Amino acid sequence: MGESAPMTALPRPLILGSTSRYRRELLERLRLPFETAAPDVDETPRPGETPETLASRLALAKARAVAARFPRALVIGSDQVADLDGQPLGKPGTHDRAVEQLRAMRGRTVVFHTALAVVCAETGFEAEDLAPVRVRFRDLDDADIERYLRAEQPYDCAGSAKAEGLGIALLDAIESDDPTALIGLPLIRTVALLRRGGVDVLNRLPGIAR
């Protein structure tokens, strides 16, 4: 990993290497100016790759891909993979696949690995972290699953459930040390990695002497 960068009076451009509206809305909470860019990375798992390794590899690949196009910028990459007994569960994409996922997860504990990377190509700075979230699903019946999916249509979410919305009704418990990790971007870790990259979130607030 690269060394921590010095704090600068004029921060580098900040880019979120993602087109996810969930990640964009989370990053907006930090009140930093930023742009978004599509990372254009192949997300196909490699043979034998664990969900944890897949999430970490893709987060770094996304950050590097965008940083190559914008070398002066500090780029945030993130990826989330749901892990059921060592098998990755991605975004279902369709209603039928979402039904299959929720049936497989009912009454079970699923680990959502949310990986994070911050990269600056110009300085060679790279930092990574991983925020695992343990989620215990209720023992749902088929009618519960069908009603939920028709109501929320979470087909763009890994694991077929939006815990920040109605999907919370599917769960018995969530265990995490970074409360936004399950939504898609672990903000505690994001703030920490941005500091290492030279951006102190609180020092960027307007109207405060530095």
Side-chain angles (χ1 to χ4, degrees), residues 4 37 46 48 56 69 77 89 100 108 144 151 154 181 191 196 201 209:
S4 297
R46 293 172 178 169
S56 295
R69 288 154 42 203
L89 300 176
E100 291 177 7
R108 308 287 300 282
D144 289 332
V191 169
R196 290 176 57 190
V201 172

Side-chain angles (χ1 to χ4, degrees), residues 42-169:
D42 182 1
E43 300 187 22
T44 304
R46 293 172 178 169
E49 192 170 35
T50 66
E52 180 178 359
T53 301
L54 173 62
S56 295
R57 176 175 66 82
L58 291 180
L60 184 58
K62 290 176 180 181
R64 284 174 171 172
V66 174
R69 288 154 42 203
F70 304 95
R72 288 198 63 254
L74 200 61
V75 180
I76 299 170
S78 186
D79 194 79
Q80 184 181 80
V81 179
D83 178 349
L84 179 62
D85 296 335
Q87 296 301 311
L89 300 176
K91 300 172 184 176
T94 67
H95 181 84
D96 288 345
R97 290 188 64 187
V99 170
E100 291 177 7
Q101 284 191 352
L102 289 176
R103 283 176 175 171
M105 294 187 295
R106 56 187 170 194
R108 308 287 300 282
T109 294
V110 180
V111 180
F112 287 77
H113 299 287
T114 305
L116 176 70
V118 175
V119 170
C120 178
E122 187 173 78
T123 65
F125 174 80
E126 290 190 354
E128 304 175 63
D129 209 341
L130 187 71
V133 183
R134 293 176 60 84
V135 178
R136 190 167 71 248
F137 281 78
R138 293 173 45 225
D139 190 8
L140 305 163
D141 61 31
D142 287 348
D144 289 332
I145 291 172
E146 188 68 21
R147 281 192 291 267
Y148 168 69
L149 291 177
R150 294 299 180 187
E152 197 150 63
Q153 301 181 20
Y155 308 133
D156 61 344
C157 295
S160 305
K162 294 182 181 180
E164 70 276 20
L166 182 60
I168 201 72

